[in-house]
Amino acid sequence: MEITGFHSLNDLFAQLGLSSEDAAIEEFLAQHHLSGSEKLAKAPFWSDGQRVFLEEAILDDSDWCEAVDELDTLLRH
């Protein structure tokens, strides 16, 4: 059974196998950035599994899409 609904940024980090505590997310965002045209899923700091998840979330317009978009935006600031 698939669970649908809103996923927070903390949920996304947990799904990606990363620490989902607010301080850990802030540290991740301080250490990682995307350039103007760089695709989120193509960034060098993701594992293969993380990359596939991020690509599929966008391509499938899944319920993770909003959290992935938020992460993309935050990595560009």
Side-chain angles (χ1 to χ4, degrees), residues 37-56:
S37 63
E38 188 176 13
K39 301 281 187 197
L40 175 66
K42 301 296 183 192
F45 45 83
W46 301 122
S47 70
D48 289 341
Q50 291 167 328
R51 185 171 292 110
V52 168
F53 176 82
L54 292 167
E55 287 174 342
E56 288 178 355

Side-chain angles (χ1 to χ4, degrees), residues 3 6 13-14 16-17 19 25 27 30 47 54-55 66-67 69 77:
I3 299 172
F6 174 78
F13 270 70
L16 291 169
S19 177
I25 293 172
E27 184 176 330
S47 70
L54 292 167
E55 287 174 342
E66 288 183 32
D69 286 344
H77 288 91

Side-chain angles (χ1 to χ4, degrees), residues 29 34 40 66-77:
L29 295 173
L34 296 174
L40 175 66
E66 288 183 32
V68 172
D69 286 344
E70 180 182 1
L71 177 59
D72 185 274
T73 299
L74 290 169
L75 287 169
R76 295 180 189 284
H77 288 91

